[in-house]
Amino acid sequence: MIYKRSSTLFAAAEKVIPGGVNSPVRAFKAVGGTPIFVKEAKGAYLYDEDGNTLIDYINSWGPMILGHAFEPVVNAVIEKAKKGTSFGMPTEIETEIAELAVSMVPNIDKIRFVNSGTEACMSAVRLARGYTGKDKIIKFAGCYHGHSDSFLIQAGSGAVTFGSPNSPGVTEGTAKDTLLANYNDLTNVEALINANKNEIACIIIEPVAGNMGCIPPLDGFLQGLRSLCDANDVLLIFDEVMTGFRLAKGGVQELYGVDADIVCFGKVIGGGLPVGAFAARNEIMNHLAPLGPVYQAGTLSGNPLAMAAGLAMLTTLNNDVEVFNRLAEKTEYLHKGLAKVLDKNNITHTINRIGSMISVHFDAEPVIDFKTAANGNNETFKTFFHGMLNQGVYIAPSAFETWFITDALTYEDLDKTIEACNTVFK
Ligand code: KE4
């Protein structure tokens, strides 16, 4: 594959945009090489600026669950744009998508739309603090909830006391209110709660983790979190920015039968336009301004174009009872095919999969948390990434990411992907 034009475009971008990208993960820092500049996309395929066609397993990091340039979404945006692009005033379509989302997701009465997953998770934590009157939060190592200060935290010196910043610009004052737990480790969570009695407002978690590769919760983990929260007057926030409307209509709450107190959304809910959202029962959401004292706002929140895209996406998913089964079947087929060729080529690996989320780890041990995810052989991953890319298969440029399967993928695409993996390692 030739990437001459992408290289030229990247050099120009680096002059006027920090690192040449508007989001760091796009810069290929974890795998090396020049980021690919995409010209357009349709269905399961990306068409880059050098004329290469790539089978896409990133799908804008999740939103394109029905494929790129999905006609009902595109047409809805075009029609809506002709009537104006933003008003800063309430519009009917915001109510329409809110009613639909509330009907699809269990255990929520109201939803507030924002412009990103970061905003959704940041606002959900503020709401939890405002509702409980408590300051501290628990998050999990390896879980990503966006770039709000409270989330850019690593384990502090005293593991059960407080966190410390993992980015310049985050203050010690902020970090002290974030506690870091180990994913899939209820004992650790309980120790944190007991060491900070009556100080913890919420636990925020990716109920199926997607930012250290794909890591499903071990049996009983989510149920255990729910019990710990109930016993200690702590709110449970499910960050379903990745999993919402992807793993099931009702997301992980439906899939595992565990109720969160607040649920965060992003990606799929916006159909590829900038939309995040957070939702909960009335008793919690009614604490939000202008009803209640917890302030949260946004000029472009509920933007009509974004709502049109999201409504078209959710309507299609809501009306297609088989879509989530098709996605899971395609992902299982891919899993089995990749495992077969990696075994055939004696490549040590483990593959995590749930629904239409999958990740390949070059390590023999089960990957169940950030520590085990970090054991993967990154040199093998880099070989895998570039080897697949050179054969027209675009996977996530980091071992700490998940692949997102789109229903636009055909079984022929999956076979090409499996064969490309075989070619890399044979
Ligand atoms: P955004 O602010 O990027 O819309 O959403 C933040 C976020 C929150 N919660 C979860 C579970 C997420 O996965 C994300 C964002 N995911 C990354 C991919 N790992 C987005 C890609 C990027 O940062 O460019």
Side-chain angles (χ1 to χ4, degrees):
M1 291 274 185
I2 307 296
Y3 296 113
K4 193 169 179 315
R5 182 150 170 71
S6 276
S7 302
T8 305
L9 292 171
F10 187 49
E14 286 184 295
K15 293 192 175 73
V16 284
I17 301 171
V21 292
N22 284 305
S23 197
V25 76
R26 304 176 192 168
F28 278 20
K29 288 295 181 206
V31 291
T34 300
I36 307 298
F37 277 62
V38 62
K39 185 171 194 155
E40 57 187 294
K42 179 69 178 168
Y45 312 121
L46 299 165
Y47 303 96
D48 75 12
E49 288 285 356
D50 287 283
N52 301 309
T53 300
L54 304 172
I55 301 174
D56 187 9
Y57 284 97
I58 299 182
N59 287 295
S60 181
W61 301 96
M64 307 289 95
I65 192 170
L66 298 174
H68 288 285
F70 183 61
E71 296 240 327
V73 168
V74 173
N75 294 338
V77 173
I78 290 170
E79 289 314 308
K80 189 56 86 172
K82 291 174 182 172
K83 298 170 182 168
T85 55
S86 180
F87 312 108
M89 299 162 71
T91 58
E92 182 181 11
I93 195 167
E94 292 163 80
T95 307
E96 287 177 78
I97 187 174
E99 287 172 340
L100 179 56
V102 166
S103 73
M104 291 170 77
V105 177
N107 192 36
I108 63 172
D109 298 319
K110 287 195 176 79
I111 187 167
R112 172 62 62 84
F113 289 98
V114 293
N115 303 279
S116 69
T118 296
E119 260 195 279
C121 295
M122 174 184 77
S123 306
V125 162
R126 183 180 312 132
L127 177 58
R129 284 170 163 158
Y131 178 77
T132 62
K134 296 185 280 185
D135 294 344
K136 289 185 176 175
I137 71 170
I138 292 177
K139 76 172 291 288
F140 291 82
C143 283
Y144 178 70
H145 307 293
H147 62 91
S148 170
D149 284 6
S150 293
F151 304 138
L152 299 181
I153 304 296
Q154 59 201 353
S157 51
V160 290
T161 48
F162 44 77
S164 66
N166 75 0
S167 165
V170 176
T171 66
E172 294 293 345
T174 297
K176 70 175 177 46
D177 286 332
T178 298
L179 304 168
L180 215 68
N182 301 323
Y183 202 81
N184 276 322
D185 183 345
L186 280 175
T187 307
N188 176 238
V189 177
E190 190 165 17
L192 282 169
I193 291 175
N194 291 337
N196 297 273
K197 269 294 188 202
N198 303 318
E199 294 184 80
I200 298 171
C202 63
I203 293 175
I204 183 167
I205 188 166
E206 292 179 56
V208 166
N211 285 287
M212 34 185 167
C214 170
I215 300 184
L218 295 177
D219 288 351
F221 179 58
L222 296 181
Q223 292 79 355
L225 289 180
R226 180 68 271 168
S227 304
L228 282 171
C229 286
D230 292 342
N232 293 279
D233 188 28
V234 172
L235 292 188
L236 182 56
I237 300 177
F238 274 6
D239 173 356
E240 293 219 47
V241 167
M242 273 189 180
T243 58
F245 308 106
R246 171 169 282 280
L247 294 188
K249 257 190 206 180
V252 170
Q253 288 190 104
E254 175 188 317
L255 204 60
Y256 283 83
V258 175
D259 284 350
D261 294 302
I262 304 175
V263 193
C264 303
F265 300 103
K267 300 180 192 282
V268 171
I269 197 171
L273 268 67
V275 178
F278 58 107
R281 305 184 301 277
N282 278 321
E283 62 174 319
I284 296 173
M285 290 305 276
N286 292 346
H287 272 66
L288 269 180
L291 259 184
V294 178
Y295 196 70
Q296 181 275 326
T299 301
L300 295 174
S301 296
N303 172 273
L305 305 195
M307 295 292 96
L311 181 59
M313 175 67 86
L314 295 195
T315 302
T316 306
L317 293 171
N318 191 46
N319 295 340
D320 182 346
V321 290
E322 278 311 308
V323 65
F324 296 106
N325 291 334
R326 285 200 309 272
L327 282 160
E329 286 161 8
K330 288 178 180 177
T331 313
E332 182 181 14
Y333 182 90
L334 179 64
H335 179 165
K336 288 179 176 170
L338 291 174
K340 190 173 172 192
V341 297
L342 289 168
D343 286 341
K344 185 178 77 173
N345 290 289
N346 300 312
I347 302 294
T348 303
H349 72 280
T350 183
I351 295 177
N352 286 3
R353 166 176 58 89
I354 181 165
S356 56
M357 295 169 67
I358 183 172
S359 56
V360 179
H361 303 264
F362 295 106
D363 179 39
E365 293 304 309
V367 175
I368 60 164
D369 57 16
F370 184 59
K371 185 169 173 292
T372 47
N375 289 340
N377 182 318
N378 201 49
E379 286 312 306
T380 306
F381 183 84
K382 288 162 77 170
T383 302
F384 182 45
F385 174 79
H386 287 292
M388 297 291 272
L389 184 60
N390 288 333
Q391 297 178 81
V393 178
Y394 192 60
I395 66 173
S398 162
F400 291 94
E401 297 288 353
T402 292
W403 304 18
F404 296 96
I405 303 305
T406 166
D407 194 34
L409 280 165
T410 64
Y411 280 89
E412 187 187 357
D413 295 324
L414 298 173
D415 287 337
K416 276 184 192 165
T417 304
I418 293 160
E419 184 45 41
C421 177
N422 184 45
T423 303
V424 171
F425 292 111
K426 72 181 180 186

